């Protein structure tokens, strides 16, 4: 079974995140692999480990600027077999559809060495947080979509997931090849161990440009984007914040605050 | 610009329209002429009247049965009903984001999800979004001729139209694609009384600091007319069901009032509530990060503070 995991390079949640010219500021120091993609990598590794030695192969793919290579390096440290970094100036400013097109082309390129059975993504990238990419990628690849999986099992050529929607818990199944997006409930991501970190250092990262994977640059990037960020500004911090220490009347003070604001 | 047709996908539970749809219709009126799309069985007369009261000139009914649970089918159904609309508005939910994505791929539309508002500027839709755990405001223009926008609940105030419409009800026969996915089972989530979390004007959340006892949190929520939320640690412990989890990977809420009880304020949690109107926190630890974003914080034991607050609110009401 061959599995492709998509991993995104995003600003660290704890860093001061910002925008520059309508796109997210991404720097090597403050960037990491999207935390939720650790669950995607974990799901792929667990599937590989459930198969006899040599029967599973996991590729990690990221699309992004030069610094984004850190995302696939992290995936290597976690234990994936191959790392692919698609990077091209023309990709900058892509909307979700541009990104999906590039990722789909990368999957097709990987398929030249053999069929891909599963594509596993995170449920959301913690910067854009749109959760649109998995659906867009499944549509581009024209394969089944099993999204927001809180559990995943693969057997006899089918994938089955459970998902918690607001109104119901669903169990959904589809034949392979399929795309699965996993939530942070799907598993507990492993930590890279020293041996893997050392081994990852010598593992190569394959870098592809758009022409390597047959994508016409005019179809992606800021020019092709169907949406453009025209303004981004930091919100002012909350004003007049008050913190009191309970000395026996904390609840009364809290109630008074709510009444004064017309909230109680 | 009243010639612009703005389709609104109606959220309904059974036969009852959900509040965010009325907010969405209100926004739709500011963009153009609203048309409501109802996925499901023929709606009852009172609900059609309600859509009319909020300005829908037409109600398009498209019936796909259980297929509505599949993004592929639902998007095709919505697509069949909105081919002539320049703007399609939906309420932000995980399911609708997938429908929006498929619809955009089929029509070439641009999509903005989790918008807090939208305007028509020189014939283009421009939206506002609050991002990065509500620390930035972003304005986005849709370049494509068609715009699909999902709107966060509680970001627009629902107001009936000045002159109610008497909507025409039209049945749409959808063109449905083949579906690869199949539903093995669907177990409805027991609906608690009251408003769902994402739509509630007030949310009272409890975290690890509750020690698993939600009595006080529920009581405060009741008194304030709100819904009960929780942190991930609380849902992981099994103290309260997953549907209550607020945060980046749970429900994003933007109520007028958010009360965090025994919640530390981890960045993942803040991402789902930081855009709330007023934030109140009760936590025993003065260094808890939740206090950094609280309009009013009480450093104290929630077992002391909450009962006293409930009693004081009740006393105030009795005047
Ligand atoms: C604050 C903000 C708001 C945005 N709003 C919109 C919008 O409303 N409409 C719109 O069209 N675009 C929007 N974008 C752009 C959009 O984020 C990017 O196009 C992005 O590449 C795909 O969407 P996402 O990051 O939201 O991914 P999500 O759909 O949230 O990500 C899900 C999964 O997809 C995979 N993935 C996503 N991107 C990559 C990548 N580059 N490489 C590898 N794997 C990846 C990861 O596995 C991830 O876990 C927004 C961006 C930001 C920063
Ligand atoms: C990928 C990922 C995604 C995540 N997504 C989410 C998400 O969507 N939502 C979410 O909530 N979390 C999420 N988390 C988890 C998050 O990081 C935190 O671990 C979680 O929010 C902590 O929950 P808590 O505040 O209840 O617990 P804690 O951090 O343990 O805080 C408990 C607080 O209660 C206080 N306390 C204790 N006793 C009392 C008392 N008697 N009275 C008053 N205060 C008291 C303590 O001082 C403490 O501050 C995610 C984590 C990861 C890795």
């Amino acid at each position: 079974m061959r599995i492709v995991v998509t991993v995104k390079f995003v600003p660290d949640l704890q860093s001061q995140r910002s925008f520059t010219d309508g796109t997210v500021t991404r720097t090597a120091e403050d960037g990491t692999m999207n935390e939720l993609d650790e669950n995607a990598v974990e799901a792929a590794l667990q599937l590989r480990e459930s198969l006899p030695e040599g029967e599973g192969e996991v590729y990690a793919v990221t699309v992004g600027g030069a610094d984004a290579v850190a995302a696939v390096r992290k995936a290597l440290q976690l234990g994936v077999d191959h790392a692919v970094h698609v990077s091209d100036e023309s990709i900058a400013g892509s909307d979700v559809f541009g990104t999906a097109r590039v990722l789909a082309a990368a999957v097709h390129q990987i398929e030249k060495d053999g069929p891909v059975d599963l594509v596993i993504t995170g449920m959301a990238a913690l910067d854009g947080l749109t959760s649109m990419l998995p659906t867009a990628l499944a549509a581009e690849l024209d394969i089944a979509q099993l999204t927001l999986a809180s559990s995943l099992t693969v057997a006899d050529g089918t994938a089955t997931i459970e998902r918690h929607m607001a109104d119901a818990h669903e169990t959904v199944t589809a034949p392979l090849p399929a795309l699965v997006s996993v939530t942070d409930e799907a598993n507990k991501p492993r930590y890279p161990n020293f041996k893997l970190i050392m081994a990852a250092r010598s593992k190569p990262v394959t870098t592809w440009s758009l022409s390597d994977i047959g994508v016409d640059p005019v179809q992606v990037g800021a020019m092709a984007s169907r949406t453009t960020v025209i303004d981004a500004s930091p919100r002012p911090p909350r004003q007049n914040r008050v913190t009191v220490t309970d000395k026996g009347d904390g609840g009364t003070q809290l109630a008074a605050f709510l009444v004064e604001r017309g909230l109680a | 610009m009243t010639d612009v047709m703005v389709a609104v996908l109606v959220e309904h539970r059974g036969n009852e329209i959900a509040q965010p749809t009325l907010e969405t219709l209100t926004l739709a009126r500011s963009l153009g002429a609203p048309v409501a799309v109802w996925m499901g069985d023929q709606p009852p007369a009172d609900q059609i009247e309600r859509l009319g009261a909020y300005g829908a000139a037409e109600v398009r009914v498209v019936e796909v049965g259980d297929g509505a649970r599949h993004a592929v089918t639902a998007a095709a159904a919505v697509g069949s009903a909105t081919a002539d609309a320049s703007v399609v508005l939906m309420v932000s939910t995980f399911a609708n984001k997938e429908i929006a994505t498929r619809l955009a791929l089929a029509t070439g539309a641009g999509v903005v999800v989790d918008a807090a508002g939208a305007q028509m500027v020189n014939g283009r839709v421009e939206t506002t979004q609050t991002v990065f755990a509500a620390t930035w405001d972003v304005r986005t223009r849709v370049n494509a001729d068609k715009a699909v926008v999902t709107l966060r609940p509680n970001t627009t105030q629902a107001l009936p139209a000045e002159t109610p419409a008497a909507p025409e009800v039209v049945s749409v026969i959808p063109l449905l694609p083949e579906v690869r996915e199949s539903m093995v089972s669907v177990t409805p989530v027991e609906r608690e009384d009251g408003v769902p979390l994402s739509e509630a004007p007030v949310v009272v959340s409890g975290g690890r600091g509750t020690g698993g006892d939600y009595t006080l949190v529920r009581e405060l929520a009741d008194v304030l007319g709100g819904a009960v939320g929780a942190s991930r640690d609380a849902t992981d412990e099994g103290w309260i069901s997953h549907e209550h989890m607020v945060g980046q990977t749970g429900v994003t809420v933007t109520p007028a009032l958010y009360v965090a009880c025994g919640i530390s304020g981890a960045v993942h949690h803040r991402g789902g509530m930081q855009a709330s109107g007023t934030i109140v926190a009760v936590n025993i630890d003065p260094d808890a990060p939740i206090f950094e974003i609280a309009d009013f914080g009480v450093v104290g034991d929630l077992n002391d503070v909450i009962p006293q607050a409930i009693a004081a609110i009740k006393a105030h009401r009795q005047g």
Side-chain angles (χ1 to χ4, degrees):
Chain A
M1 181 157 56
R2 298 171 85 237
I3 306 169
V4 173
V5 187
T6 59
V7 294
K8 188 179 183 185
F9 181 70
V10 300
D12 194 314
L13 281 185
Q14 310 287 354
S15 71
Q16 289 291 335
R17 297 181 289 172
S18 64
F19 282 85
T20 313
D21 300 330
T23 60
V24 179
T25 316
R26 291 175 210 275
T27 61
E29 309 86 74
D30 282 341
T32 52
M33 177 170 101
N34 176 35
E35 210 174 357
L36 290 166
D37 293 340
E38 291 178 25
N39 297 97
V41 171
E42 183 64 33
L45 294 176
Q46 287 184 10
L47 278 174
R48 186 188 67 190
E49 286 157 6
S50 71
L51 299 167
E53 180 84 26
E55 284 190 20
E57 224 179 339
V58 180
Y59 288 75
V61 181
T62 193
V63 174
D67 295 331
V69 71
V72 281
R73 285 213 187 281
K74 173 78 187 275
L76 283 174
Q77 291 176 354
L78 291 168
V80 305
D81 304 293
H82 309 282
V84 175
H85 176 201
V86 185
S87 193
D88 197 303
E89 275 179 13
S90 311
I91 298 172
S94 289
D95 62 3
V96 67
F97 306 108
T99 309
R101 188 175 286 239
V102 175
L103 280 169
V107 171
H108 287 316
Q109 188 68 26
I110 291 167
E111 279 177 330
K112 290 190 175 156
D113 296 329
V116 169
D117 305 287
L118 260 184
V119 177
I120 306 183
T121 76
M123 68 172 283
L126 290 175
D127 55 350
L129 269 182
T130 71
S131 293
M132 288 195 287
L133 186 110
T135 301
L137 182 55
E140 278 293 335
L141 290 169
D142 198 20
I143 60 175
Q145 75 172 78
L146 298 169
T147 52
L148 302 171
S150 55
S151 77
L152 163 66
T153 47
V154 177
D156 306 324
T158 51
T160 305
I161 65 152
E162 288 176 302
R163 57 188 222 146
H164 300 310
M165 302 306 280
D167 65 335
H169 294 183
E170 303 173 347
T171 306
V172 199
T173 185
L176 302 181
L179 177 139
V180 176
S181 79
V182 294
T183 72
D184 52 326
E185 289 182 303
N187 52 45
K188 251 194 145 21
R190 65 194 65 187
Y191 291 103
N193 63 36
F194 182 71
K195 206 175 120 215
L196 280 167
I197 292 174
M198 291 313 286
R201 284 203 182 158
S202 57
K203 280 197 190 169
V205 174
T206 306
T207 307
W208 285 333
S209 67
L210 286 183
S211 67
D212 291 331
I213 55 175
V215 174
D216 185 346
V218 303
Q219 293 183 323
V220 299
M223 294 306 285
S225 180
R226 304 174 190 181
T227 48
T228 304
V229 172
I230 51 176
D231 186 48
S233 45
R235 300 186 104 198
R238 288 172 186 266
Q239 301 293 320
N240 308 320
R241 293 187 300 103
V242 178
T243 305
V244 299
T245 302
D246 180 30
K247 296 206 174 73
D249 63 349
T252 314
Q253 290 194 53
L254 172 52
F257 170 81
L258 294 178
V259 169
E260 184 204 308
R261 287 251 176 144
L263 293 165
Chain B
M1 296 294 287
T2 45
D3 51 343
V4 175
M5 185 190 288
V6 183
V8 172
L9 178 62
V10 177
E11 287 299 301
H12 54 94
R13 286 179 277 275
N15 273 328
E16 205 184 319
I17 298 166
Q19 177 71 14
T21 292
L22 305 179
E23 298 164 7
T24 310
L25 275 168
T26 306
L27 180 72
R29 294 205 307 272
S30 72
L31 300 174
V35 161
V37 176
W38 181 287
M39 230 193 310
D41 295 334
Q42 187 80 17
D46 61 331
Q47 299 300 305
I48 293 170
E49 202 177 306
R50 197 136 182 253
L51 294 169
Y54 283 81
E58 208 179 300
V59 177
R60 298 179 178 176
V61 181
V62 55
E63 165 56 11
V64 292
D66 283 346
R69 304 201 77 86
H70 295 291
V72 177
T73 310
V78 175
S80 298
T82 58
D84 50 351
S86 311
V87 184
V88 181
L89 298 183
M90 305 178 191
V91 177
S92 267
T93 63
F94 279 114
N96 283 350
K97 287 181 183 187
E98 297 187 357
I99 295 173
T101 307
R102 290 262 170 190
L103 183 61
L105 279 164
T107 60
V111 187
V112 178
V113 295
D114 294 328
Q119 274 178 296
M120 206 53 110
V121 179
N122 300 327
R124 295 273 177 225
V125 173
E126 288 186 10
T127 62
T128 49
Q129 279 165 294
T130 306
V131 305
F132 291 165
T135 56
W136 283 70
D137 283 324
V138 168
R139 203 171 170 82
T140 303
R141 183 180 57 228
V142 178
N143 306 317
D145 290 335
K146 196 177 185 109
V148 180
V149 178
T150 77
L151 187 70
R152 270 203 180 141
N154 284 323
T155 50
T156 301
Q157 198 195 346
L159 293 170
E162 266 173 35
T163 40
E168 188 187 341
V169 180
V170 180
S171 280
V172 177
I173 309 294
L175 276 173
L176 297 182
E178 208 184 304
V179 181
R180 295 188 175 89
E181 305 84 11
S182 35
M183 242 359 117
V184 179
S185 69
V186 178
T187 315
V189 172
E190 263 317 294
R191 273 254 294 129
E192 289 175 28
D193 294 340
V195 252
L197 187 55
S198 63
E199 302 167 17
V202 174
V203 173
V204 181
S205 286
R208 183 171 290 285
T210 63
D213 185 351
Y214 272 73
T215 317
L216 290 172
V217 171
R218 281 188 203 283
E219 202 179 326
L220 183 59
D222 275 348
V223 170
L224 296 172
V228 172
S231 69
R232 165 78 180 277
D233 281 31
T235 58
D236 277 357
E237 290 285 351
W239 293 342
I240 186 162
S241 66
H242 176 85
E243 292 71 38
H244 294 273
M245 185 175 90
V246 171
Q248 259 167 346
T249 53
V251 182
T252 298
V253 297
T254 37
L257 171 64
Y258 188 87
V259 185
C261 308
I263 289 179
S264 60
V267 63
H268 304 100
H269 186 81
R270 282 162 38 175
M273 47 66 73
Q274 202 157 339
S276 303
T278 297
I279 297 173
V280 169
V282 180
N283 195 304
I284 209 158
D285 174 8
D287 297 323
I290 192 77
F291 287 127
E292 292 163 19
I293 57 160
D295 296 289
F296 192 85
V298 182
V299 179
D301 190 325
L302 65 90
N303 298 302
D304 301 329
V305 177
I306 305 294
Q308 191 180 65
I310 292 169
I313 293 165
K314 285 184 174 163
H316 167 78
R317 286 188 185 154
Q318 274 153 12

